[in-house]
Amino acid sequence: MRIEDAFLGVTVALLGLVLVYLFRVAVGPTVFDRILGVSALGTTTTIILLLVGVLYDRIELFVDLSLAYALLSFVGALAAARYFEQTGDR
Amino acid sequence: MTVLVVLLLAAGLFFHAVAALGVLRLPDFYTRLHAVSKAETLGMLFTLAAIIVWIGPSLTAVKVALVGVFVFMATPTSAHAIGRAALRTGLKPWRRRGGSP
């Protein structure tokens, strides 16, 4: 039972959680539930990227990837929230 | 050292599971927003701590810590923006069926 198996297990579990957030995005009654699902999805994917970086022993590459991804998902969530603030909840 | 990494990973996974449970079970948007933004941030801190302990003190560990600091600041900000947007468009918070305030 090497340590990589623990990292692999956590990565697979987080992928399962991504499905939960996708379910919330699909079902969410209001549009803000969907924005919440997407932003939580972004954060979880950032962590999955880092864990995959540890699994592949090429952490330098994946750290930069996850930082860029965290920035993008943050800005995207803010833009969506600001947009739906005006147009309201159809 | 390995035990510490496994413990940190388990704690991170626990809080991620709590966040996912909160997203599924809670009745209203505001309660879900509340649950996810808190549990997600804490779970992320634990997982990143595990990664930092595992790869040892190096420049990359500083970068991973920077990612952690950024997400630690970004998630509450975006949760605040989404919550304010929902409140402004008139999304009423959930009340218990008894209607008591």
Side-chain angles (χ1 to χ4, degrees), chain A residues 19-42:
Chain A
L19 294 181
V20 169
Y21 292 127
L22 283 179
F23 169 74
R24 175 52 56 193
V25 168
V27 163
T30 65
V31 72
F32 297 106
D33 287 305
R34 295 189 170 88
I35 302 175
L36 175 65
V38 168
S39 92
L41 185 74

Short mmCIF file of all heavy atoms in Angstrom, two decimals, chain A residues 19-42:
data_model
loop_
_atom_site.label_atom_id
_atom_site.label_comp_id
_atom_site.label_asym_id
_atom_site.label_seq_id
_atom_site.Cartn_x
_atom_site.Cartn_y
_atom_site.Cartn_z
N LEU A 19 -18.84 14.84 -10.02
CA LEU A 19 -20.15 14.44 -10.55
C LEU A 19 -21.27 15.03 -9.71
O LEU A 19 -22.31 15.45 -10.23
CB LEU A 19 -20.24 12.91 -10.56
CG LEU A 19 -19.29 12.21 -11.52
CD1 LEU A 19 -19.49 10.71 -11.46
CD2 LEU A 19 -19.51 12.72 -12.93
N VAL A 20 -21.06 15.13 -8.39
CA VAL A 20 -22.11 15.71 -7.54
C VAL A 20 -22.35 17.15 -7.95
O VAL A 20 -23.49 17.61 -8.10
CB VAL A 20 -21.67 15.61 -6.07
CG1 VAL A 20 -22.58 16.42 -5.18
CG2 VAL A 20 -21.62 14.18 -5.61
N TYR A 21 -21.23 17.89 -8.18
CA TYR A 21 -21.42 19.29 -8.56
C TYR A 21 -22.09 19.39 -9.93
O TYR A 21 -22.93 20.27 -10.18
CB TYR A 21 -20.08 20.02 -8.57
CG TYR A 21 -19.50 20.16 -7.20
CD1 TYR A 21 -18.22 19.73 -6.91
CD2 TYR A 21 -20.23 20.70 -6.17
CE1 TYR A 21 -17.68 19.85 -5.65
CE2 TYR A 21 -19.72 20.83 -4.90
CZ TYR A 21 -18.43 20.39 -4.65
OH TYR A 21 -17.91 20.51 -3.39
N LEU A 22 -21.74 18.47 -10.85
CA LEU A 22 -22.39 18.49 -12.17
C LEU A 22 -23.88 18.19 -12.01
O LEU A 22 -24.73 18.78 -12.70
CB LEU A 22 -21.73 17.47 -13.09
CG LEU A 22 -20.38 17.90 -13.66
CD1 LEU A 22 -19.80 16.81 -14.53
CD2 LEU A 22 -20.54 19.18 -14.45
N PHE A 23 -24.22 17.32 -11.07
CA PHE A 23 -25.64 17.04 -10.82
C PHE A 23 -26.33 18.31 -10.36
O PHE A 23 -27.41 18.67 -10.85
CB PHE A 23 -25.76 15.96 -9.76
CG PHE A 23 -27.14 15.78 -9.24
CD1 PHE A 23 -28.11 15.15 -10.00
CD2 PHE A 23 -27.49 16.27 -7.99
CE1 PHE A 23 -29.40 15.01 -9.53
CE2 PHE A 23 -28.78 16.13 -7.51
CZ PHE A 23 -29.73 15.50 -8.28
N ARG A 24 -25.66 19.05 -9.46
CA ARG A 24 -26.27 20.29 -8.99
C ARG A 24 -26.41 21.28 -10.12
O ARG A 24 -27.40 22.00 -10.25
CB ARG A 24 -25.41 20.86 -7.85
CG ARG A 24 -25.81 22.20 -7.31
CD ARG A 24 -27.24 22.29 -6.93
NE ARG A 24 -27.62 21.27 -5.98
CZ ARG A 24 -28.91 20.99 -5.70
NH1 ARG A 24 -29.87 21.64 -6.32
NH2 ARG A 24 -29.22 20.07 -4.83
N VAL A 25 -25.42 21.32 -11.03
CA VAL A 25 -25.51 22.25 -12.16
C VAL A 25 -26.69 21.84 -13.03
O VAL A 25 -27.48 22.67 -13.50
CB VAL A 25 -24.21 22.23 -12.97
CG1 VAL A 25 -24.38 22.94 -14.30
CG2 VAL A 25 -23.09 22.89 -12.20
N ALA A 26 -26.91 20.54 -13.22
CA ALA A 26 -28.00 20.10 -14.09
C ALA A 26 -29.34 20.36 -13.44
O ALA A 26 -30.28 20.84 -14.07
CB ALA A 26 -27.85 18.60 -14.38
N VAL A 27 -29.46 20.13 -12.14
CA VAL A 27 -30.78 20.15 -11.50
C VAL A 27 -31.10 21.54 -10.98
O VAL A 27 -32.22 22.00 -11.06
CB VAL A 27 -30.80 19.12 -10.35
CG1 VAL A 27 -31.96 19.38 -9.42
CG2 VAL A 27 -30.86 17.72 -10.92
N GLY A 28 -30.09 22.25 -10.49
CA GLY A 28 -30.25 23.47 -9.69
C GLY A 28 -31.46 24.29 -10.08
O GLY A 28 -31.57 24.70 -11.22
N PRO A 29 -32.43 24.54 -9.17
CA PRO A 29 -33.62 25.29 -9.59
C PRO A 29 -33.28 26.68 -10.12
O PRO A 29 -33.68 27.06 -11.21
CB PRO A 29 -34.48 25.35 -8.33
CG PRO A 29 -33.60 24.95 -7.22
CD PRO A 29 -32.52 24.11 -7.78
N THR A 30 -32.46 27.42 -9.38
CA THR A 30 -32.19 28.79 -9.85
C THR A 30 -30.87 28.81 -10.62
O THR A 30 -30.05 27.90 -10.48
CB THR A 30 -32.04 29.74 -8.64
OG1 THR A 30 -30.87 29.31 -7.94
CG2 THR A 30 -33.23 29.65 -7.73
N VAL A 31 -30.66 29.88 -11.38
CA VAL A 31 -29.43 29.95 -12.18
C VAL A 31 -28.24 30.11 -11.25
O VAL A 31 -27.12 29.73 -11.58
CB VAL A 31 -29.55 31.12 -13.17
CG1 VAL A 31 -29.44 32.45 -12.46
CG2 VAL A 31 -28.49 31.01 -14.24
N PHE A 32 -28.48 30.65 -10.04
CA PHE A 32 -27.34 30.85 -9.13
C PHE A 32 -26.84 29.52 -8.58
O PHE A 32 -25.66 29.39 -8.25
CB PHE A 32 -27.76 31.80 -8.02
CG PHE A 32 -28.13 33.15 -8.54
CD1 PHE A 32 -29.44 33.55 -8.61
CD2 PHE A 32 -27.14 33.99 -9.02
CE1 PHE A 32 -29.77 34.78 -9.13
CE2 PHE A 32 -27.47 35.23 -9.55
CZ PHE A 32 -28.79 35.62 -9.60
N ASP A 33 -27.74 28.52 -8.48
CA ASP A 33 -27.24 27.19 -8.10
C ASP A 33 -26.24 26.70 -9.13
O ASP A 33 -25.23 26.09 -8.80
CB ASP A 33 -28.42 26.21 -8.04
CG ASP A 33 -29.28 26.46 -6.82
OD1 ASP A 33 -28.71 26.47 -5.73
OD2 ASP A 33 -30.48 26.70 -6.99
N ARG A 34 -26.54 27.02 -10.40
CA ARG A 34 -25.64 26.54 -11.46
C ARG A 34 -24.30 27.24 -11.37
O ARG A 34 -23.24 26.63 -11.49
CB ARG A 34 -26.30 26.75 -12.81
CG ARG A 34 -27.55 25.90 -12.96
CD ARG A 34 -28.11 25.94 -14.36
NE ARG A 34 -29.17 24.93 -14.50
CZ ARG A 34 -30.43 25.14 -14.22
NH1 ARG A 34 -30.82 26.33 -13.80
NH2 ARG A 34 -31.33 24.17 -14.35
N ILE A 35 -24.32 28.55 -11.09
CA ILE A 35 -23.04 29.26 -10.97
C ILE A 35 -22.26 28.70 -9.79
O ILE A 35 -21.05 28.48 -9.85
CB ILE A 35 -23.29 30.77 -10.77
CG1 ILE A 35 -24.10 31.35 -11.91
CG2 ILE A 35 -21.99 31.51 -10.60
CD1 ILE A 35 -24.47 32.79 -11.70
N LEU A 36 -22.98 28.41 -8.70
CA LEU A 36 -22.32 27.84 -7.52
C LEU A 36 -21.68 26.51 -7.86
O LEU A 36 -20.52 26.24 -7.52
CB LEU A 36 -23.35 27.66 -6.41
CG LEU A 36 -22.86 26.97 -5.15
CD1 LEU A 36 -21.83 27.79 -4.46
CD2 LEU A 36 -24.02 26.67 -4.24
N GLY A 37 -22.44 25.66 -8.61
CA GLY A 37 -21.90 24.35 -8.98
C GLY A 37 -20.64 24.49 -9.81
O GLY A 37 -19.63 23.82 -9.58
N VAL A 38 -20.68 25.44 -10.79
CA VAL A 38 -19.52 25.58 -11.67
C VAL A 38 -18.32 26.11 -10.89
O VAL A 38 -17.19 25.65 -11.05
CB VAL A 38 -19.89 26.52 -12.84
CG1 VAL A 38 -18.66 26.92 -13.58
CG2 VAL A 38 -20.87 25.83 -13.77
N SER A 39 -18.56 27.03 -9.96
CA SER A 39 -17.39 27.58 -9.25
C SER A 39 -16.81 26.54 -8.29
O SER A 39 -15.59 26.41 -8.15
CB SER A 39 -17.81 28.84 -8.50
OG SER A 39 -18.21 28.54 -7.19
N ALA A 40 -17.68 25.74 -7.65
CA ALA A 40 -17.15 24.68 -6.78
C ALA A 40 -16.43 23.63 -7.62
O ALA A 40 -15.40 23.08 -7.23
CB ALA A 40 -18.31 24.04 -6.01
N LEU A 41 -16.98 23.40 -8.83
CA LEU A 41 -16.32 22.47 -9.75
C LEU A 41 -14.92 22.95 -10.07
O LEU A 41 -13.95 22.18 -10.07
CB LEU A 41 -17.16 22.40 -11.02
CG LEU A 41 -16.76 21.42 -12.09
CD1 LEU A 41 -17.11 20.04 -11.67
CD2 LEU A 41 -17.47 21.78 -13.37
N GLY A 42 -14.76 24.27 -10.31
CA GLY A 42 -13.45 24.83 -10.63
C GLY A 42 -12.46 24.60 -9.51
O GLY A 42 -11.32 24.16 -9.71
#
